[in-house]
Amino acid sequence: MAETAPQHLALPSGLLELCALLGAPRDSLRGLEPGARKRGAHGLSSLDPEVLSIFVPPFVGREDGQPAVANCGTLSKTQRRSFRKKREKPRAEPGEGLAAAPRGLDADNVSVPNGVDLLALPQLCFPGGLCVASEPKEDYVHFLVLTDVCGNRTHGVVARFYRPLHDEHCFYNGRPHWESSRPAVSAAGRFVPFAVCVVSRFPYYNALRDCLSCLLTHLKLCKDFEVDNHIKDFAAKLSLIPSPPPGPLHLVFNMKPLQIVFPSRADPESPLVDLDLHLPLLCFRPEKVLQVLTCLLTEQRLVLFSASWALLTLVAECFLAYLHPLQWQHTFVPILSGQMLDFVMAPTSFLMGCHVSHFEEVSKEADGLVLINIDSGSITSSSDDGLDVPDIPFLAAQTFIQRVQSLQLHHELDLAHLGASTDLSDWRARQRAWQHRLNGQIQQLSLQLLVGIFREVKNHLNYEHRVFNSEEFLKSRAPGDQRFYKQVLDTYMFHSFLKARLSRRMDAFAQMDLSTQSEEDRINGMLLSPRRPTIEKMASRKPSPQRAAQRRMVVSMPNLQDIAIPELPPRNSSLRKVDAPGCGGGSTVLSVNPATTHTFKIPEIHFPLVSQCVRAYYADCVALLSKAMGCLAPDSSVLLARYLYLRGLVHLMQGQRLEALLDFQSLYKTDLRIFPADLVRSTVQSLAGPARAQAERMPELRRLVSQVLDKPGEAPKADEHVKNFELPSKHLPLEDFMQRVQESGIVRDIHIIGRLFEALTVGQQKLIDPETFRDFYTCWKETEAEAQEVNLPASVMEHLDKNECVYKLSSSVKTNRGVGKIAMTQKRLFLLTEGRGYVEISTFRDIEQVRSTTVAVLFLRIPTLKIKVVSKKEVFEANLKTECDLWHLMVKEMWAGKKLADDHKDPQYIQQALTHVLLMDAVVGTLQSPGAIYAASKLSYFDKMRNELPMAVPKTTSETLKHKINPSAGETVPQAVDVLLYTPGRLDPAEKVGDAHPKLWCALHEGKVVVFDASSWTIHQHCVRVGTAKLNCMALVEQNQVWVGSEDSIIYIISIHSMSCNKQLTDHRASVSGLVVQDGPEAPSQVYSCSVDGTVLVWNVSTLRVTRRFQLPGGVGLSSISLHDGCLWCCTGSSIVVVDGSLRQELKVDESFKEKSTSFVAFQLVPEQGQLWAACSGYDHVYVWGLQDLAQPPGRVHLPDCSKINCMIRVKQQVWVGGSGPSQGRPRGKIYVIDAERRAVEKELVAHVDTVTTLCSAEDRYVLSGAGREEGKIAIWKVE
């Protein structure tokens, strides 16, 4: 490994970026002397403010001998500005004004953080001007947002206070000015305003306001020459406080007289919220709040007005918080001073604020502004036409209003039943808890609003090609909502939102969408057929004035593509609360239980602030953090991770880089979400030669160091482009045609698209011309839109299942059962008579014969469709005329699909048949030629399969097979099922009902894990990503974790509750091939893992540390492990080894099989029979040894027609073996069920089209088998 030169380490900053004292220039106060007052002080009372003193970390210089307490270099003047008002820089006299920095620092050495413009700062700290008062005034706090040229925001809190002016007895740069040769003259009756401004990278509005309040109590009591020292000490304290990592740990610091709480973000994706989110709800009616949100979503030019400078920033920040995870990406200047009003002339989108006294001036100066008066709760426009913004979609808006109205916004009402608090800390804690709970409710309902508005965007996305079909999305919106969506879809905000959706980011929006998804949506995730409204949806359409305006499906209804598996009985439906469509809940606020929070108290900081005191402070921090970690319960990994993060930061501040890296390595195992990857990389690169060598000698750090040094560059940036769907303009070969069809959202399966291509190019060159594609696309979309308008009478819907959908309606035809329209669902055919009555024709299961013929009517031969039903003597006849041939094709395809679905217990067949049928209809509508029916017959795939290649399912297979599911549903091609794991349900009161169900975990390609609800076999989680490599093994650990071993040598840990992977174990150096959990009460928290290089590690689950490791002699190729009777059984290619502290027994493959070279591929222990079962490559037998003496020759069980063995499990007294072999002349995936006692094959199950790759047991009642990539399905088998 090449050694690189150590780099300089830029340490993370604390809470403070800058602290400044601002006030009137000293020269201007000289005019406030008796002579000037006699001439009238009125004109002298308004002064120009300036920066008097500025304090920037570090506060312990190199001369103190402490090199590692600072977070930035030396101090020098600012070069970047967030506001570019043309103004002369104030001239500084020696020792005065801005140039006079804190004592001991050279003015030319003061470094101001980027984003802080010292020329604009005085105007922002005194936005209404600096006025000398004739009587004392109350302290005043307001808040700033400062933006640098890169768009990065810093946040400021300003506290203004007044001090009496006693002649020269005023403070400037910490120097007493009463030492003057002039006689003292009283200036009583004059009070001069000063401001202390704290700038931080974090929006700690409440916490920093409280800190400044504490500071002001000291400033009012101190002497003038002591002010600078107090402010410097105050700034030094804040600079030493680290920012808490995301999660439930808040930091507490004693600022005297208050305990200050610095809250953390809820998670890395969430914003930091340290303000009262209900402020806009106190200022505006809910309808007005929605108007403001609409203006933000459509990126208008907004100006807030208020008489309170504080409210301008707080209310603006609240509105932006309501939009999370959408982000305002334009100019944000919540406070404009009087000299900055020309900013509102900017032509681009912005959000600004100014004093209400400028309302008339601003409204006259610029057109097209949205003027929001916080004080009156009104919203107007500066345009003559008035405010013209679209309304938020009706149903989402009404739900939001109802939920807001149910909020308890007044703390006093919650306190009415309580006695008066005599403890200030207790009262503040109650206030914080109440506000925390209310903030959670407001964040929840605002997120529900966004989900209600944008939930259905995902139905119009193509993830493979990153395409959004905006035109079709707009068509699916209600007419009254289209203006809103047209404006929103053109914004930067929505474009960023699309990027996140197409990248499948699991942010707050995605989590809310998933958690409020109906059972029908989960079922729909498994299906392939196009979107149609279900009978249940039709029944839910209630006529109303609002409904008339929403003739098309309302925006907030999430279930446009509900097609459920007909054979699946609705399970646990009585346990699920059915929410209002699309809103994710009822009209009241969802009960939000705020996450439990914990606090860590920062130790005291002692002064004077010299290096010894700082070292003592850091040592106290480390000691307290270590003590807190030692008191944690074994299952408190969330808190442990936060303590590790903080202790790692403190170690870095101390200069103890190896100790910091050890903490960060432990953090990597504990919670990957808060792992500071960039900081760790720069720390490793900053290590000097001896320190790096020492790190590489430490087993815990060797992997971390090698990863950083081997991959010094940044990871390649993910593709984030977004394309809008466009119709083609040139001829399309098959490959381009496939991409266009997938982008359009019509079909994703490449095999079905291939059949469609053949149908559209029958008898011509194999190219699709643009006109044909356009006609096909238009025909498909028109048919889809017509289906949305289908509205059946209640008397008809009573005869249909709630999950049925009407896919096709014929024109009105004459039949032998009356005149009407033939309707097709995924389950049946029925006649919708002219009187809107229901006449059953047949279910597809009961059809016996379908014929297309002609019937003589007078002198004409009318094409007629005849359907013979199993249970009825009378044949159904319909004079379909020109539609007859198409209906003949469609009914036969559905009949064949239903037969295959029943035979194979696989509802995917009926879904694919539906897709074929609808494509047939679109092909005929597109071509409109004599050959159209022949072309459509190219899509009659299952009907041909039934006639040409009948696949009879063996009786034993049919009786044992219960169901099939497809984890690759929605993918363009099937994916091999690599590993399966069943986890039993557990009733945890903290979990939702759905989370308590048993689950099936399915590992697919490239680190993708799909999770099924095993109580209904529906999708529970579409995708949990764990790396990008093939996954080899999974294990359930302590009922709340799933450990996954990967070929990239990492063990990924998935939380069952959150369905996310936040922990990784990186101690293996080769592909992880096996995991086994130690059973029994003696050591329930140990996991054994093995890798193909022969390494076995033993893990303590609580600490995630390796407690034991050993290398198996000759263990290269170690593929699986098992625990039995205190011994570890290890299977390598060449042997099966029994380990008990040392090598106890070894079964070598070459000693038992000398006739040809082979290797062990799978083994299974059957302790009840005292047997070891194993399979070898190239043999069609399973071999059985006695556990007592492996040296004895094995027994053998022959597997008939077996070509290959891949896997083996024990279920009760049976051994199930999965592999492949011939069946009916074709290779098929097979499962052999062997009686372990009799050593005889009981069943031979023809399981899959492709080989059986993996097996797992579900509570010994079912066995689940996964197939290779040709089929990619999971079969569920009954165990007898």
Side-chain angles (χ1 to χ4, degrees), residues 663-810:
D663 279 338
F664 291 140
Q665 172 66 10
S666 299
L667 173 62
Y668 189 83
K669 296 179 180 179
T670 312
D671 194 339
L672 194 60
R673 292 177 303 171
I674 63 172
F675 179 74
D678 292 337
L679 178 62
V680 171
R681 180 181 294 108
S682 59
T683 302
V684 170
Q685 292 172 341
S686 71
L687 292 175
R692 183 177 299 176
Q694 185 180 353
E696 291 173 355
R697 288 194 299 270
M698 302 170 72
E700 303 92 335
L701 294 183
R702 189 182 304 122
R703 177 73 175 261
L704 190 68
V705 172
S706 64
Q707 281 182 322
V708 170
L709 297 182
D710 291 344
K711 303 175 184 178
E714 293 185 1
K717 194 173 182 180
D719 183 10
E720 290 195 343
H721 80 278
V722 180
K723 290 195 300 183
N724 199 22
F725 175 72
E726 295 178 352
L727 292 170
S729 57
K730 61 181 182 179
H731 287 67
L732 302 174
L734 175 58
E735 186 176 346
D736 293 343
F737 177 73
M738 283 185 175
Q739 178 173 334
R740 288 298 177 128
V741 173
Q742 289 173 343
E743 289 178 358
S744 71
I746 294 175
V747 188
R748 300 179 69 184
D749 187 287
I750 61 171
H751 302 297
I752 296 177
I753 299 175
R755 293 167 205 144
L756 174 62
F757 183 81
E758 288 297 318
L760 290 174
T761 57
V762 165
Q764 56 182 292
Q765 187 181 10
K766 296 303 179 183
L767 289 172
I768 303 290
D769 61 83
E771 293 76 18
T772 301
F773 190 97
R774 184 178 295 106
D775 293 344
F776 168 76
Y777 179 80
T778 303
C779 184
W780 177 274
K781 291 301 179 181
E782 286 176 351
T783 305
E784 193 175 67
E786 289 169 5
Q788 303 294 338
E789 299 294 342
V790 172
N791 196 9
L792 300 178
S795 59
V796 174
M797 290 190 286
E798 290 174 358
H799 296 274
L800 305 175
D801 295 342
K802 68 176 185 177
N803 292 323
E804 282 188 81
C805 308
V806 176
Y807 285 91
K808 178 67 177 171
L809 271 176
S810 73

Side-chain angles (χ1 to χ4, degrees), residues 578-625:
V578 180
D579 296 332
C583 303
S587 60
T588 58
V589 175
L590 289 183
S591 177
V592 179
N593 294 320
T596 303
T597 58
H598 305 266
T599 59
F600 174 74
K601 188 171 183 180
I602 300 291
E604 293 286 339
I605 301 173
H606 302 286
F607 290 92
L609 197 65
V610 294
S611 59
Q612 292 87 345
C613 295
V614 174
R615 282 198 294 267
Y617 162 73
Y618 286 141
D620 290 346
C621 282
V622 170
L624 289 176
L625 287 166

Side-chain angles (χ1 to χ4, degrees), residues 82-98:
S82 54
F83 301 108
R84 299 187 175 274
K85 291 292 290 182
K86 292 183 179 179
R87 181 174 177 232
E88 291 298 323
K89 186 173 180 179
R91 180 177 298 176
E93 297 180 7
E96 295 180 315
L98 177 61

Side-chain angles (χ1 to χ4, degrees), residues 20 62 129 135 190 204 247 261 273 386 555 612 626 793 811 909 969 1002 1055 1058 1126 1204 1247:
R62 295 183 182 275
E135 57 185 25
R190 292 284 183 253
Y204 280 117
V261 176
V273 177
V555 58
Q612 292 87 345
S626 301
S811 57
Y909 283 109
C1002 173
S1055 165
S1058 67
K1204 183 181 181 181

Side-chain angles (χ1 to χ4, degrees), residues 151 200 232 368 474 534 580 663 774 836 854 862 1103 1113 1140 1203:
S200 173
K232 181 181 178 182
L474 284 173
T534 62
D663 279 338
R774 184 178 295 106
R836 306 283 284 170
T854 58
I862 305 297
T1103 62
D1140 179 13
S1203 304

